[in-house]
Amino acid sequence: MTDRVVVAGAVYDRGRLLAARRSAPPELAGRWELPGGKVEPGESGEQALVRELREELGVETEPLERIPGEWPLPRGYVLRVWTARLVSGVPAPLQDHDELRWLGPGESGTVDWLEQDLSAVAEAVRRLPGGGGVAR
Ligand SMILES: Nc1nc2c([nH]c(=O)n2[C@H]2C[C@H](O)[C@@H](COP(=O)(O)OP(=O)(O)OP(=O)(O)O)O2)c(=O)[nH]1
């Protein structure tokens, strides 16, 4: 059976992390997530992530590292998360989202994340270049 995998990106730019507010389905609308989507047959996780971020936000990104672990989602899906660098473009809520927000150091707790994203977000913030609370 094909894996049912949702990939999401902890997209960084200038020390900030991108959060996206879902506009659908109704049970998830209004909650914040790391943008991404389902892996299609024949795609790697990284390929799916680059495609989804292009479709949903209109930007080009480069996946950097996988955040260790995976988190169970409804209907047998699992969530896998990568950190990703914004390469070009200005993110816009083209699909699936109605608001985007760049969160600076100390701001990751200011949006209502989906529960299943919380540990990945915490780990992403720790990895935030120059801003996760660990001086480098
Ligand atoms: N993209 C994304 N989806 C998440 C996260 N956390 C989480 O529970 N989900 C759920 C919401 C959705 O039920 C599912 C992802 O579906 P999606 O609707 O974003 O996928 P997709 O863009 O490929 O859309 P489609 O094929 O269903 O039209 O995973 C997350 O951080 N990012």
Side-chain angles (χ1 to χ4, degrees):
M1 195 188 103
T2 318
D3 280 352
R4 293 162 76 83
V5 178
V6 171
V7 294
V11 178
Y12 299 119
D13 188 42
R14 287 171 280 173
R16 301 162 310 161
L17 171 68
L18 186 64
R21 192 171 70 180
R22 287 197 73 99
S23 51
E27 63 273 19
L28 301 181
R31 307 292 299 279
W32 293 76
E33 69 173 12
L34 299 170
K38 300 183 186 89
V39 177
E40 292 180 355
E43 275 183 330
S44 68
E46 287 96 333
Q47 286 168 340
L49 182 63
V50 169
R51 173 184 55 72
E52 288 284 351
L53 296 176
R54 185 183 294 136
E55 288 172 3
E56 293 188 356
L57 307 174
V59 293
E60 294 303 318
T61 54
E62 178 193 9
L64 297 177
E65 49 180 349
R66 169 114 178 251
I67 294 186
E70 58 181 31
W71 294 272
L73 301 179
R75 292 181 300 282
Y77 279 90
V78 293
L79 176 67
R80 296 181 184 164
V81 178
W82 276 258
T83 58
R85 182 175 73 85
L86 183 65
V87 174
S88 64
V90 176
L94 305 177
Q95 243 181 43
D96 293 346
H97 304 109
D98 61 6
E99 192 180 336
L100 303 176
R101 207 173 282 176
W102 287 107
L103 303 175
E107 291 179 341
S108 64
T110 61
V111 300
D112 182 21
W113 294 103
L114 291 172
E115 278 84 17
Q116 51 272 35
D117 284 41
L118 285 172
S119 14
V121 168
E123 186 55 37
V125 166
R126 276 194 282 280
R127 290 161 189 247
L128 199 74
V134 181
R136 291 175 200 215

